[in-house]
């Protein structure tokens, strides 16, 4: 499905420059100065720091000459003024890196400028000679000298004037000690960590009262004194809800799992924002803290909300070499009756060929070759102001895959209870009536079941998790006494975990394990669309979709159990670009439990990630490691969000 899309993007017009397709700025070069003219005085710019690339970058980040190089001044006087204004900025940048004896000279057309001497007129005359002729050569020369180090680091209670005990303020929080480089950024970062540490100890008013860095130039050292007022301990006080008048406040309160009197912490507030943010009718959640404690020693909070537009309409058109053409459209209302009720209607139309793929040239088009899916879903959160949500869904589908064809109607209704923002349990009833046909034969079936599921999600980001765990487990018995024509019980579980190897989450290990089992019925009696299959983008990448598992006469028939596993190393090369080597494995089995009669299929691959504000854009290339006849040599997948 995705391979054809990639080919169009990368190879559709080979004579077109790469920049024409540069959707994300990957191929853009730095802006060059314009050509000399009578109305502008452009300049070339060179940085000399003795080969220290980090210092050179720090100077470039601080330099107005660098930032405005593509917007040259009109004359020599303005250019020299711009250069002189850069001198204190560049000195500050070097001081911030711990070089407090640094010197900076800006050479304008051969005339050096520094903070000690003034040669403005000479530099102006020299630069004016280049007007409308050539770029004015400017060279920034930095002599940083020796980097200063910390000699004494003294962090005290601003009230008692006594140093904090290690039990009150561990060294792992401060992360500064004698001998470290005396960088201002490190000192400010330590200041922020200390304040965050005390706020996490239920002290909302923790602050640094004074910061005294003292530099000793001859010794090239710095002493730092930090006076910190931890403030009083506090609990969470009353929680007032403001804004979003169109949404029932009782619904919002049901998504707040913190009670007045609970210990205050920034983590509790972040958890509150995350849980309230699950309400689809809301676009933003801001929690404002009161400026003082109440009479009980608690901190009142104000939850400020804004609403989303209630209605949303969308459509998409797709085409692929494996699935053929497809159309999709949907409409949703996110606040139907004023209680954040969500109603969503979605329709899909797609082509059905004999093998589940695209139409062949000799295929005769008929209405029978159209498949489709229509789904209507309804969510009523916070029934009666409780943490119970009503969910209902109805779906009609006609589909054909490489292994089977199916048509059915399905309806479910259930109640979900939210224990917390991370843990919920759902139970309900399900009805499905349909027909499936595969190489084993045709099955006309009715299923009436009582599905039960639990969900736990402690991850930090739904599209790009870097830490936490996700668990989803479900069991659905379809007993004969309720009217099921195929008495069976279907169980499935998926677990994934994420671990960041560094504080910036530039290196993340991710793993996923999936299991499934069907008991109570023989394989040939189970509707084909209810059996387990592996393979494809959400399973074992590199293999065809839903083709891994038992076969009969060379056709996939699915199994009664499933085993899948994936491991990824997510590595950020820059703030926006990352690579992901991965390994997938899995298959379906004929028995109700994985007995390994089927060979575990394995694939490996490499992914590219482009990180955006809404989530990473994913491009994965996977290669089967133990392919069988008919398996592709590789597969390409494109999507938004991580693979799991």
């Amino acid at each position: 499905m995705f391979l054809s899309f990639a080919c169009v993007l990368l190879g559709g017009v080979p004579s077109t420059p790469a920049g024409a397709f540069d959707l994300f700025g990957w191929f853009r070069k730095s802006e060059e100065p314009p050509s000399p003219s009578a109305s502008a005085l452009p300049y070339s710019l060179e940085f000399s720091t003795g080969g220290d690339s980090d210092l050179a970058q720090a100077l470039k980040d601080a330099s107005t000459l660098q930032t405005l190089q593509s917007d040259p001044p009109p004359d020599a006087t303005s250019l020299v003024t711009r250069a002189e204004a850069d001198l204190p900025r560049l000195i500050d940048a070097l001081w911030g890196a711990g070089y407090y004896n640094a010197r900076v000279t800006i050479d304008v057309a051969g005339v050096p400028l520094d903070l000690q001497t003034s040669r403005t007129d000479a530099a102006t005359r020299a630069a004016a000679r280049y007007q409308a002729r050539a770029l004015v050569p400017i060279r920034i020369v930095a002599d940083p000298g020796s980097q200063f180090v910390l000699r004494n680091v003294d962090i005290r209670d601003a009230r008692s004037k006594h140093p904090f005990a290690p039990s009150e303020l561990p060294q792992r929080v401060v992360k500064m000690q004698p001998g470290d480089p005396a960088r201002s950024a490190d000192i400010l970062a330590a200041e922020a960590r200390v304040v965050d540490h005390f706020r996490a100890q239920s002290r909302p008013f923790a602050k640094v009262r004074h910061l005294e860095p003292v530099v000793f130039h001859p010794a090239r050292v710095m002493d730092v004194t930090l006076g910190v007022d931890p403030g009083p301990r506090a609990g969470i006080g009353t929680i007032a809800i403001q804004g979003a008048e169109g949404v029932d406040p009782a619904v919002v309160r049901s998504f707040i799992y913190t009670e007045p009197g609970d210990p205050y912490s920034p983590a509790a507030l972040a958890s509150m924002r995350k849980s309230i943010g699950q309400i689809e009718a809301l676009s933003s959640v801001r929690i404002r803290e009161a400026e003082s404690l109440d009479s009980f020693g608690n901190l009142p909070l104000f939850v400020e909300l804004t609403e989303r537009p209630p209605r949303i309409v969308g459509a998409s058109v797709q085409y692929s070499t494996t699935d053929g053409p497809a159309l999709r459209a949907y409409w949703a209302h996110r606040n139907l009756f004023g209680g954040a009720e969500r109603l969503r209607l979605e329709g899909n139309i797609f082509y059905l060929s004999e093998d589940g793929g695209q139409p062949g040239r000799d295929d005769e088009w008929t209405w029978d070759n159209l498949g489709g899916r229509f789904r209507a879903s309804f969510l009523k959160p916070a029934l009666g102001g409780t943490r119970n949500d009503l969910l209902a869904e109805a779906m009609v589908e006609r589909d054909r895959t490489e292994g089977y064809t199916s048509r059915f109607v399905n309806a479910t209704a259930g109640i979900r209870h939210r224990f917390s923002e991370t843990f919920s349990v759902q139970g309900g009833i399900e009805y499905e009536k349909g027909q499936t046909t595969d190489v084993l034969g045709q099955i006309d079936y009715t299923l009436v079941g009582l599905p039960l599921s639990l969900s736990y999600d402690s991850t930090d980001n739904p599209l790009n998790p870097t830490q936490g765990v996700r668990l989803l487990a479900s069991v659905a018995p379809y007993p004969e006494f309720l009217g099921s024509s195929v008495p069976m019980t279907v169980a499935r579980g998926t677990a994934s975990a994420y671990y960041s190897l560094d504080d910036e989450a530039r290196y993340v290990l991710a793993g996923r394990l999936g299991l499934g089992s069907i008991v109570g019925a023989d394989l040939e009696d189970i509707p084909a669309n209810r059996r387990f299959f592996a393979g494809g983008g959400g399973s074992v990448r590199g293999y065809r979709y839903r083709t891994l598992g038992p076969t009969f006469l060379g056709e996939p028939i699915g199994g009664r159990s499933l085993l899948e596993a994936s491991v990824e190393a997510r590595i950020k090369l820059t703030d926006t670009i990352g690579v992901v080597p991965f390994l997938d494995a899995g298959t379906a089995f004929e028995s109700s439990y994985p007995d390994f009669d089927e060979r575990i299929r394995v694939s490996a691959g490499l992914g590219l990630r482009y990180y955006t504000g809404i989530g990473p854009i994913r491009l994965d290339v996977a290669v089967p490691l133990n392919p069988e006849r008919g398996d592709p040599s590789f597969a390409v997948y494109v999507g938004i969000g991580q693979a799991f």
Side-chain angles (χ1 to χ4, degrees):
M1 172 178 179
F2 301 107
L3 181 57
S4 60
F5 170 80
C7 290
V8 170
L9 178 64
L10 300 178
V13 187
S15 62
T16 302
F21 296 102
D22 188 14
L23 302 179
F24 312 117
W26 293 348
F27 304 105
R28 293 175 190 164
K29 297 180 180 179
S30 58
E31 295 184 2
E32 298 292 337
S35 301
S37 68
S39 61
L41 191 58
Y43 52 89
S44 62
L45 190 59
E46 178 187 353
F47 289 83
S48 176
T49 59
D52 191 324
S53 59
D54 291 337
L55 277 185
Q57 187 60 51
L59 294 178
K60 289 179 181 179
D61 292 341
S63 171
T64 303
L65 286 168
Q66 172 74 24
T67 305
L68 299 180
Q69 187 176 11
S70 62
D71 184 19
D75 50 43
T77 300
S78 300
L79 176 59
V80 172
T81 300
R82 181 182 293 184
E84 288 184 320
D86 249 8
L87 286 168
R89 294 189 183 96
L90 300 175
I91 290 292
D92 285 345
L94 292 171
W95 284 9
Y99 297 92
Y100 296 96
N101 284 338
R103 293 177 176 272
V104 175
T105 300
I106 300 180
D107 189 305
V108 178
V111 178
L113 303 174
D114 57 38
L115 291 176
Q116 285 72 39
T117 59
S118 176
R119 302 192 61 188
T120 302
D121 292 341
T124 301
R125 289 193 299 270
R129 299 189 185 103
Y130 288 83
Q131 190 89 38
R133 293 178 53 244
L135 299 179
V136 180
I138 297 180
R139 186 167 180 257
I140 297 176
V141 181
D143 178 13
S146 300
Q147 189 177 42
F148 285 44
V149 298
L150 297 175
R151 184 173 63 180
N152 295 310
V153 179
D154 187 12
I155 303 179
R156 295 176 174 267
D157 190 317
R159 297 169 301 177
S160 67
K161 309 301 181 184
H162 295 146
F164 290 103
S167 58
E168 296 177 285
L169 185 61
Q171 175 60 32
R172 60 178 172 79
V173 174
V174 180
K175 294 184 181 178
M176 276 196 319
Q177 57 187 356
D180 288 346
R183 292 187 288 253
S184 60
D186 294 345
I187 297 171
L188 295 175
E191 178 183 352
R193 285 194 300 271
V194 170
V195 171
D196 290 344
H197 169 74
F198 284 114
R199 282 173 58 84
Q201 305 301 315
S202 299
R203 299 177 183 270
F205 298 122
K207 62 179 62 178
V208 174
R209 292 294 181 183
H210 60 269
L211 170 62
E212 297 178 4
V214 180
V215 176
F216 297 89
H217 288 270
R220 301 186 185 90
V221 296
M222 174 190 285
D223 293 341
V224 176
T225 302
L226 208 63
V228 182
D229 181 2
R233 294 185 184 273
I236 290 177
T238 57
I239 302 174
I241 297 174
Q242 301 174 344
E245 288 78 7
V247 178
D248 186 353
V251 174
V252 179
R253 290 187 184 278
S254 80
F255 282 83
I256 299 176
Y257 304 97
T258 300
E259 301 292 342
D262 288 350
Y264 165 90
S265 73
L269 270 59
S271 175
M272 190 183 305
R273 279 192 296 270
K274 180 180 178 181
S275 59
I276 297 175
Q278 296 174 1
I279 302 174
E280 296 185 29
L282 303 178
S283 65
S284 68
V285 181
R286 178 175 179 264
I287 299 179
R288 181 168 53 88
E289 303 176 10
E291 297 181 355
S292 60
L293 303 181
D294 61 20
S295 58
F296 299 100
N298 295 326
L299 182 67
L301 301 176
F302 304 91
V303 178
E304 300 175 346
L305 309 172
T306 56
E307 294 180 58
R308 280 193 174 111
R311 296 172 182 84
I312 181 173
V313 178
S316 65
V317 179
Q318 296 183 132
Y319 178 81
S320 72
T321 58
T322 57
D323 296 334
L327 301 175
R328 172 175 171 262
Y330 62 90
W331 173 92
H333 198 299
R334 296 182 283 213
N335 192 22
L336 194 59
F337 304 119
E341 301 90 353
R342 183 207 65 205
L343 174 64
R344 181 183 176 96
L345 307 177
E346 180 177 336
N348 297 64
I349 299 176
F350 39 83
Y351 184 87
L352 300 176
S353 67
E354 290 300 322
D355 60 359
Q358 66 175 341
R361 293 183 177 180
D362 298 330
D363 290 348
E364 181 180 353
W365 189 90
T366 68
W367 287 105
D368 289 339
N369 286 337
L370 279 183
R373 181 184 306 113
F374 179 79
R375 176 187 285 114
S377 62
F378 177 75
L379 166 66
K380 167 60 180 174
L383 292 171
T386 67
R387 293 174 183 168
N388 298 317
D389 307 327
L390 170 65
L391 301 96
E393 181 175 282
M395 180 171 63
V396 178
E397 179 178 288
R398 181 173 185 261
D399 195 10
R400 180 184 294 139
T401 71
E402 187 166 340
Y404 63 85
T405 61
S406 68
R407 63 184 73 190
F408 66 85
V409 58
N410 178 283
T412 61
I415 299 293
R416 177 179 62 198
H417 179 75
R418 294 175 274 108
F419 291 93
S420 68
E421 69 275 9
T422 59
F423 180 55
S424 64
V425 173
Q426 179 176 327
I429 187 169
E430 176 184 9
Y431 173 85
E432 181 171 309
K433 187 174 183 63
Q435 179 188 88
T436 65
T437 304
D438 66 353
V439 68
L440 297 180
Q442 177 178 306
I443 299 177
D444 296 286
Y445 68 93
T446 299
L447 295 176
V448 183
L450 301 172
L452 178 67
S453 64
L454 64 86
S455 173
Y456 176 83
D457 188 346
S458 64
T459 57
D460 55 346
N461 188 305
L463 291 179
N464 184 33
T466 62
Q467 60 182 6
V469 173
R470 283 180 183 160
L471 299 173
L472 179 62
S474 63
V475 58
Y478 299 95
E480 195 170 14
F481 67 83
L482 285 180
S484 295
S485 60
V486 184
M488 62 180 182
T489 298
V490 181
R492 184 155 191 172
T494 302
S496 56
Y498 311 88
Y499 179 72
S500 175
L501 300 179
D502 63 312
D503 293 338
E504 291 78 25
R506 304 188 74 87
Y507 303 92
V508 177
L509 296 179
R512 177 182 66 93
L513 178 66
L515 296 169
S517 176
I518 302 175
V519 297
D522 295 331
L523 180 65
E524 61 271 15
D525 296 328
I526 300 171
N529 61 339
R530 288 288 181 154
R531 301 173 197 152
F532 291 115
F533 296 83
S539 178
V540 185
R541 286 165 283 188
Y543 295 91
R544 289 172 297 163
Y545 178 64
R546 295 176 68 86
T547 59
L548 302 187
T551 61
F552 182 72
L553 299 178
E555 299 292 333
I557 59 173
R560 292 191 295 166
S561 61
L562 177 73
L563 173 63
E564 296 174 329
S566 298
V567 179
E568 291 189 347
R570 300 171 181 174
I571 304 168
K572 269 192 170 183
L573 302 178
T574 69
D575 289 338
T576 56
I577 304 296
V579 296
V580 180
F582 60 85
L583 189 69
D584 294 343
T587 193
F589 304 89
E590 186 174 346
S591 63
S592 293
Y593 303 96
D595 56 8
F596 300 97
D597 281 350
E598 296 290 330
R599 184 168 63 146
I600 298 292
R601 311 297 290 279
V602 183
S603 67
L606 184 66
L608 179 67
R609 302 290 184 269
Y610 180 74
Y611 294 92
T612 70
I614 61 173
I617 297 176
R618 180 178 79 254
L619 171 66
D620 288 338
V621 180
V623 177
L625 296 185
N626 52 347
E628 295 182 353
R629 184 176 180 181
D631 289 328
S633 56
F634 70 95
V636 180
Y637 305 90
V638 178
I640 295 179
Q642 297 287 3
F644 59 88

